[in-house]
Each structure stands twice: as C-alpha cells, then as structure tokens.
C-alpha cells in the first residue's frame, strides 16, 4: 500500500507555515505570473510589431510587403507557444493536486518506534538505517519511502523529490518530473525561435532604415536570457533522468546506502553472523574501504522487523547508486516507453508503478548484492525469487 497522499484541501495541524515556506509559496505563484506577462509582451512584439507592422503592413516605403512570411512566422510561433503551454498547464495542474507530498504524522511527538513502517517494510528490499529501520523524517515524524526527501519550502516529505522550482510553479518530483522535462524542452525551443526571429529582423531593420525599436530589443533580451536558462535546464534534467538520479541524489552522489533484503530462507549457521563483523560504520570512515573489491559489500546485521519478517542489512559502496540504470532505461522510467510519451504530457511515468520488489525498480547493483549474499551464505532472498 502506498503512503497516503494529501489533498489540496489538507490543513494539517502540524503544517506550521515558516517564513521559508511562505516565500516558497509566494514565489511559485509570482514567478509564473511574471513569465506569463513576459510571454504576452514578446507575443505582442513578434506577432504585432514585427510580423504585422513590419512584414505584412509596413508603413515605410523602403520596406517590402511580405504577407506570406509574416503569416508563416505567426503560425509557427503559435504552434511553439501551444507546445509550451500544454505541458506547463499540465505541470501546474499536477503541482496543485499535490500527489507526491506525504501526510505528516498527526502528532508532532510521534516517536520513531511508534510510527508505522508497514508501507515500506512490505517490499522485498528497502533503504534503511544501520539497524534495518526505514529512514525517518524528524520533521514530519513519518517513515520515508525510498527516494523521498523533505522539502523545506513545502514543510513536507515529497516522493522522489527533484527540486523546488518557483519558475515552473512548485515542486518537481515523482509525478511532475516528466511534464517538467517537457516544459523546459519546449521552452528552449520556443525561446530559441523567438530570439532568432527578432534578431534577424532587428538586424534587417537597422540596415535598411536605421531603426532599432526598443520593444524589439526588449523581446530579444528576454528571449536570449530565457533560452540560456531553459536550454541549461533541459540538458541537466535530461542527463539526470537518463542516469536515473534526482537532483537531490546527484548532490549526494558518492555516499553509501544501507538496504534491507527480506530473507525467505535463513543462512547456514556459520554464515548467519554478519561478515565481516563491522560495527555500523559512519559514512565518513567509508573512504578507506574503497580499495576493497567492488562486490565486497558489508553485511551489517540480520533483523526481525514488521510481521516477524527477517531482513539482512547490507551496505553499498560509495558511488553505487541503488537505482542506477542504463541511459535509455533511466530515461524511459520517467518519460515513458514510447517516443509519443516523451513528447506528449498525458500519461504518468512508468516509475510510479510499484512492484513487490521495491518502491522503485532497483538497479543491477542491488540484485548483485542479493546474489552475492545468497552465494556466500546459502540463504534465499525474496528479491531474487521475485526476479525468477
Ligand atoms: Zn518530512
């Protein structure tokens, strides 16, 4: 069962609004409004001032009449504008319905030992602390599903959080990542077209009649600035999606992750003790282990958890991302399996589909860890049974 998501009407008692949250909320409304204003301005410049007044109906005799060029430029502009607006409105619609936010505990004093881990421990494997307990958010007082991160602007935990983006209008996370990618991509196309058209006719106008209208220069500046910004975001977001990292995970790259694997057949007697017998290791001490073989994953302990299920807790090596994927796998996981899905913002990402194996599809390294443990101890792990 997936953790309960909150509705837009939710007014939880613990949802104290801090200054940071108020600023975050205000900017995520103000920025899109400013951008809509800027779009109105550049539309007026490109369609009316350049296409109509300069090309279709020029007042200066030195300028040729170019009706079909003017109309064609307006039509292409309208198509690009529509391609930008559809994913953006879809993105805003999803942001406002808040499907990725977790409901905080009803009590601000809920202790970790009293919180309900069953939604996370139902899986064959999950990310945990050194004791095999799922990760706990000290602010929301709830257990966090894998890849969930606490967003300070929202004051809540967010599933597969990427970043809080006031430019786009709110949180970019599990459900919004796909439309965000489409939004920045189409915005890069739209702004490229905008500044190219303005620049070409600005240069022509200057050489033919020596005129450089300030409104045209304004539209050129807006176009170039937003083009640089959205093109950079398109590359960064696309790259992170391809390697299946969120922005949060990319910042934390190089760390280690503890993973609990459900045991279906206990290990042989001698092998059942953790080996090597390393005590819980602070992450800062892990650097000196880098010389060990890549597949020598530390076994931290065996624990009994919810419903008497037994888990073995293992630790990845630094830089081993538990959800790493090949480039196309990572991309398809969020953007969809067909090329049409990549460009049309209708369907949800495939990564929202849960299986018994984990909150998200595990990377090969996690299966390798499970296989190594089985080989070494004679135990059987549910994760590998599920894969057969
Ligand atoms: Zn939280």
């Amino acid at each position: 069962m997936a953790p309960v998501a909150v509705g837009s009407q939710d007014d939880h008692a613990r949802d104290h609004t801090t200054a940071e949250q108020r600023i975050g909320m205000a900017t995520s409304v103000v920025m899109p409004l400013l951008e809509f204003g800027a779009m109105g301005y550049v539309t007026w410049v490109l369609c009316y001032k350049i296409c109509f007044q300069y090309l279709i109906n020029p007042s200066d005799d030195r300028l040729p009449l170019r009706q079909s060029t003017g109309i064609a430029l307006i039509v292409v502009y309208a198509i690009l504008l529509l391609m930008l607006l559809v994913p953006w409105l879809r993105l805003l619609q999803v942001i406002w319905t808040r499907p990725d936010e977790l409901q905080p505990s009803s009590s601000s004093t809920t202790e970790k030992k009293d919180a309900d881990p069953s939604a996370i421990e139902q899986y064959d494997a999950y990310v945990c602390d050194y004791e095999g307990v799922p990760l706990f958010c000290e602010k929301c007082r709830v257990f966090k599903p894998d890849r969930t991160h606490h967003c300070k602007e929202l004051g809540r935990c967010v599933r597969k959080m990427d970043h809080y983006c006031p430019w786009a209008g709110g949180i970019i996370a599990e459900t919004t990542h796909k439309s965000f990618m489409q939004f920045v991509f189409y915005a890069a196309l739209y702004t490229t077209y905008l500044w190219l058209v303005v620049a070409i006719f600005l240069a022509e106008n200057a050489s033919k009649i020596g005129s450089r209208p300030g409104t045209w220069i304004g539209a050129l500046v807006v176009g170039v600035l937003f083009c640089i910004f959205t093109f950079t975001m398109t590359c960064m977001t696309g790259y992170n999606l391809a390697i299946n990292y969120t922005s949060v995970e990319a910042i934390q790259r190089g760390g280690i992750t503890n993973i609990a694997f459900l045991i279906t057949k206990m290990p042989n007697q001698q092998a059942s003790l953790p080996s090597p017998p390393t005590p819980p290791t602070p992450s800062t001490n892990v650097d000196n282990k880098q010389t060990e073989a890549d597949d020598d994953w530390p076994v931290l302990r065996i624990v009994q958890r919810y419903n008497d299920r037994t888990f073995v807790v293992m630790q990845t090596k630094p830089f081993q991302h538990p959800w790493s994927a090949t480039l196309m796998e990572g991309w398809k996981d969020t953007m969809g399996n067909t090329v049409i899905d990549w460009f049309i913002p209708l369907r949800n990402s495939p990564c929202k589909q849960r299986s018994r194996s984990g909150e998200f599809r595990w990377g090969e390294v996690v299966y390798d860890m499970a296989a190594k443990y089985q080989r070494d101890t004679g135990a059987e792990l549910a994760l590998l049974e599920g894969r057969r």
Side-chain angles (χ1 to χ4, degrees), residues 228-247:
I228 294 170
F229 183 53
T230 53
F231 181 76
T232 309
M233 284 308 292
T234 302
C235 295
M236 282 170 53
T237 308
Y239 177 70
N240 277 342
L241 284 182
I243 58 173
N244 203 359
Y245 273 80
T246 63
S247 296

Side-chain angles (χ1 to χ4, degrees), residues 137 139-140 150 156-157:
C137 176
K139 299 186 180 83
C140 301
H150 186 86
R156 293 197 168 185
C157 277

Side-chain angles (χ1 to χ4, degrees), residues 160-352:
K160 198 168 177 264
M161 173 174 158
D162 192 78
H163 69 292
Y164 188 83
C165 182
W167 296 89
I171 188 75
I172 307 307
E174 185 176 36
T175 316
T176 43
H177 217 158
K178 177 179 168 178
S179 334
F180 178 74
M181 178 67 221
Q182 291 167 335
F183 164 63
V184 289
F185 170 72
Y186 286 122
L189 275 189
Y190 166 84
T191 50
T192 302
Y193 178 79
L194 168 71
W195 73 256
L196 269 177
V197 170
V198 177
I200 287 167
F201 292 107
L202 186 64
E204 188 197 84
N205 200 356
S207 68
K208 278 191 175 157
I209 55 175
S211 165
R212 292 183 188 82
T215 49
W216 296 26
I217 295 171
L220 180 66
V221 171
V222 170
V224 169
L225 288 181
F226 277 91
C227 182
I228 294 170
F229 183 53
T230 53
F231 181 76
T232 309
M233 284 308 292
T234 302
C235 295
M236 282 170 53
T237 308
Y239 177 70
N240 277 342
L241 284 182
I243 58 173
N244 203 359
Y245 273 80
T246 63
S247 296
V248 174
E249 289 160 356
I251 291 166
Q252 295 168 346
R253 193 185 311 234
I256 47 146
T257 310
N258 296 331
I259 299 171
F261 296 87
L262 176 63
I263 300 178
T264 50
K265 179 180 164 238
M266 287 302 282
N268 302 329
Q269 207 62 46
Q270 277 103 1
S272 63
L273 287 172
S275 64
T278 29
T281 325
S283 55
T284 47
N285 290 349
V286 170
D287 286 348
N288 54 23
K289 288 171 171 284
Q290 273 180 314
T291 48
E292 294 173 8
D294 272 353
D295 65 350
D296 186 20
W297 294 287
V299 177
L300 301 183
R301 63 183 64 233
I302 291 175
V303 286
Q304 287 252 310
R305 296 292 305 160
Y306 172 74
N307 255 358
D308 289 335
R309 285 149 63 94
T310 306
F311 291 85
V312 56
V313 181
M314 296 178 78
Q315 189 175 77
T316 65
K317 297 283 181 178
F319 291 97
Q320 287 180 336
H321 183 53
W323 304 278
S324 62
T326 61
L327 289 185
M328 285 317 289
E329 267 177 8
W331 173 262
K332 286 179 178 175
D333 217 30
T334 298
M335 297 306 293
N337 290 314
T338 67
V339 179
I340 293 173
D341 282 339
W342 301 351
F343 290 96
I344 310 242
L346 293 177
R347 279 201 223 154
N348 271 330
S349 305
C351 68
K352 281 185 72 87

